[in-house]
Amino acid sequence: MVGMTPGACYACDREAEFDRLPPPYVAEFGEAPGFHLHFHVVPRPVDLHPDLRGPRVFGLLGRDEADEVSTHERDAFALRLAARLRTPADAKG
């Protein structure tokens, strides 16, 4: 979530926040023999600049730390997303 200011990222106060977002980008990497397969799930803000769409979204990496969303806000967002993804079967543990 580098490159998005906290206010521009997501208004994460309501459950419906996830329904308003464009579908995320999903990138898969596993090109080296003997290495594990891994995925990147990249959220897309509604105001993502056209120059950063598609594979160019990785241009957000390596930007100035001042442009990053705080660790606290990222963690809070991840917890809300995890709660949204839980199923009744998860609750049975």
Side-chain angles (χ1 to χ4, degrees), residues 20-90:
R20 293 190 311 265
L21 299 177
Y25 292 122
V26 178
E28 174 267 322
F29 297 94
E31 62 276 354
F35 287 88
H36 66 277
L37 178 69
H38 67 275
F39 294 86
H40 292 267
V41 179
V42 183
R44 292 192 297 160
V46 294
D47 60 350
L48 182 64
H49 193 279
D51 291 344
L52 294 170
R53 292 189 181 152
R56 295 183 307 264
V57 73
F58 286 100
L60 291 171
L61 294 173
R63 296 222 171 168
D64 190 299
E65 194 172 309
D67 291 334
E68 293 184 8
V69 174
S70 72
T71 301
H72 173 75
E73 186 170 346
R74 285 192 311 253
D75 290 349
F77 180 81
L79 291 171
R80 286 192 301 278
L81 179 59
R84 170 78 185 239
L85 296 175
R86 282 193 190 95
T87 66
D90 294 330

Side-chain angles (χ1 to χ4, degrees), residues 1-23:
M1 295 175 64
V2 174
M4 294 178 273
T5 62
C9 180
Y10 305 115
C12 298
D13 297 325
R14 297 175 299 279
E15 180 178 320
E17 69 186 301
F18 301 108
D19 297 328
R20 293 190 311 265
L21 299 177

